[in-house]
Every structure is written in structure tokens, then in C-alpha cells.
Amino acid sequence: MKIRAKRRLLLGIAVICVGALVAASCGDDDDDTSTTTPTTAAPATTASTTMAPTTVAPTTAGPATEMDLKDQDLTDICPDPLVIQTDWFPEPEHGHTYQLIGTGGVVDKDKGTYTGPLGNTGIDVEIRAGGPFINFASPSQQFYSDPDIFLAYINTSDALKFYKNTPTVALLANFEVGPQILMWDPDLYDFETFEDIGDSGATVLYFAGANYMDLLTAQGVIDPANVDDSYDGSPGRFITEGNLVQQGFATSEPYRYENDFEGWMKPVDFLLTHNAGHEVYQSAVSVRPSALTEYRECLEILVPIMQQDIVEYMNDPDAMNVRLDEIVKELDSYWQSSIPAHNFATQQMIDLGLVTDGDNDMVGDQDADRIQRFIDLMSPIHNDNGVEGFEDGADIPSANDLFTNEFLDPSISLGY
């Protein structure tokens, strides 16, 4: 029997990413050109989807502080402009970051930037799109090639894999559970586990360098002979061949395949790679290690602002979702977006428990035990694959090298 995700209607809401025609963001969480038990209950194993739901604001808890966090003065203690490198085109997965500026920012289509004041702090924020705007480099790579970047989106998997040459420290996790999936045609397959996928012998199409696939093949869950790393983000092969298993994001592809892609226009089912042990913090807001001392005073104010913007965005995403769609259109590239697709994405974040406080009533924190478990799981695999810094006897980073919760305000909560 298929297991499908049930919608948690009491937390209804709305928004989304937008599936890729030629890209990597909504299709890959740790592309090479790219923490105790998890603090949330495991989301549903498989899911299918219908049209985007109507936006309904969830019941949430606000921050304990009574002051407006964006009224604090950041001049002379933070970079100005404060540059944030994202991992793709503007999308709901980035909504909390664009919320820093709000809907009044200015787009530079040539640079792929969105710029505006950070409230009344006295500084500006510049948010940079990834993908083609950085020649499809990973934010880790871009971070160290451009010293103007202050914050970047770095997955736990990339933070670990590239730590030797481009070390980063995660400050804030937007996702409690990453949206990376493997998906398939439910009329053809009835998968309930990743082992079912492996046993079927189906070809699995994915982006080259994806760390979750290194995990699945190293553990013998999927036969390396059955994987194909030539995925380019296009829906063409999935539609024409029909029998593929393909990677995607739970916040994007399920909507787009059912509603946008001619030649398919029906549901897909999926499994979250998080449930296969790839328990990364997706797109965690990160800094270079030197910033922890050099910009400590800045981070003490900035990180709670970013926590609060997760709450504000998830509480009331409508205006920002519209603006995200406008920004994509102003960038005037091949990437496409729509407001219904954005609405679906935010709903998925709620329904699947992707964005949540977990069980500690604080948004944005990371779990040291979970990260260490991931390090212990992946380090031998990286060694076997010849990744620099993971050779036998190498100084492998610990969880505390990859993240810190020290700048978070424990009173700031989504309330779910």
C-alpha cells in the first residue's frame, strides 16, 4: 500500500520554489559544483500532490523580546552592504532571507541581486542569486573566491566534504528536514522504502556529485550500476522514458510535474532522502570561521533578526511570495516561477515538517549529535572516494567545527 503524506490542516499556509527546467537548486541539495536524534518527528515517507492550497496563516508564537529587532543599529559593526550568497534563483526556500529586506528591494538583473535596507539598522543587505549567476559554482566555492560575501547557504554535506579547503560554520538552519527527494510514477511503482527502489532495478537519475547518492550506493541500498548522474534539471527524460526514478525537491517537482509539465500532468510519489540517513541541514546560513571573532557583535544582533524573519515569513508568506515571483521575472532568465507553485512550496514546508521548531520551541538551531552522526557516517565514504581531507589518519572535523547555536535567541519560535 502506498504511504502518502497527510496535510496538517491546522497549520495551513502557502508558498514554493519552482521546479527547474535546466538547473540545480530545486533538484540538488549538495551538488559538487555546489545533528542527538533529529529534533522533529520523521515526516511522511511518500507523498503525492494536488493543486496548490489556499494560503492560511498558521498559529505561531512570536519572539519573547518586545523591541523591533530591526531597530537596532548595525552601522560600524556589520559589513555594509551585508552580502548573502544563496544557492539558486529566488524561491520560497529562501523566503526568510528575502524577508530581511521585504518587498521594497531593488533588482539588478545583470548581477542577479536584490538589495535594500535592513529595517532601521542603518545598513543595506544584498542578496545574490546562485546558479548561473555564479557559473553554477557551489556557495562554498563562491564564498572563498569573493571576500565581499559575508553569509552563504551551505549544506551540512558540503560543509563537511569541503572543510579542508573552504571551512565554514553554520549559524542558522532554516530547514529542520531537507526537501531533497527521489520521485517516481506511482502508476508504475509502489515504493515504500529506498530499499524498494534499489530492489526494483530502476534507473535513478540525479545530479553528479550528490552526496546522498554516495551514501545510498556505499550502503548497498542502490546498485551503482543503476544510477545515472547526467540529470540536468530538465523534465524531458522523466516524461519521455516514464520509468525513471529521479531526484527533486519535495517543495517543487511534485507540483510542477502535476500542473506545469506538458506530457505528464499527473502526481508523482517520493521519498525524502533525509529518511535514508542523509540528515543534513539544507541551505544553512553560514560564515567563514574568522567571522565568529571578527564580527561577533554583528552576529549577536543579526542572527536573531534572521530567526525572526523565518517566523514572519512562515506566518504570512503571501506578499513575499508575490515579490519572489516578480524578482524572478525581473531577472529575465530561463528560470520560471508562479505564485501557485510558491504557495505549494510553503505548504509542503509545513505539511512535511521541513520547517519547524522541532521539539525545543526554538527556530533555527542545529543538533550536535545529529551532525556528528552524519560526519561518522560520511567520513569513511569520502575516504573510499578519495575526497581530500578524509584519508586514513586525517584530521576530520567534528560537529562543533561545522556549526554553532551560540548566536540564536531561544525565545524566537514558530510555535510548531
Side-chain angles (χ1 to χ4, degrees), residues 113-150:
T113 59
Y114 184 69
T115 305
L118 178 54
N120 300 315
T121 63
I123 68 170
D124 286 340
V125 171
E126 177 182 293
I127 305 170
R128 298 182 179 180
F133 295 99
I134 55 174
N135 297 315
F136 296 97
S138 71
S140 296
Q141 294 169 319
Q142 191 71 9
F143 212 176
Y144 273 84
S145 65
D146 187 344
D148 290 338
I149 299 172
F150 183 61

Side-chain angles (χ1 to χ4, degrees), residues 4 11 13 17 42 71 77 106 109 115 117 132 165 185-186 201 218 250 260 294 315 328 350 354 357 390 415:
R4 301 181 184 271
L11 294 176
I13 194 178
C17 142
D71 284 340
I77 63 171
V106 176
K109 63 177 291 186
T115 305
N165 296 315
D185 182 354
D260 292 345
E294 184 178 357
N315 268 344
V328 170
I350 298 294
L354 307 182
D357 293 335
F390 291 89

Side-chain angles (χ1 to χ4, degrees), residues 288-305:
R288 303 176 192 89
S290 61
L292 298 178
T293 53
E294 184 178 357
Y295 288 102
R296 176 167 295 275
E297 188 177 359
C298 171
L299 296 175
E300 288 172 345
I301 298 175
L302 178 64
V303 173
I305 291 175

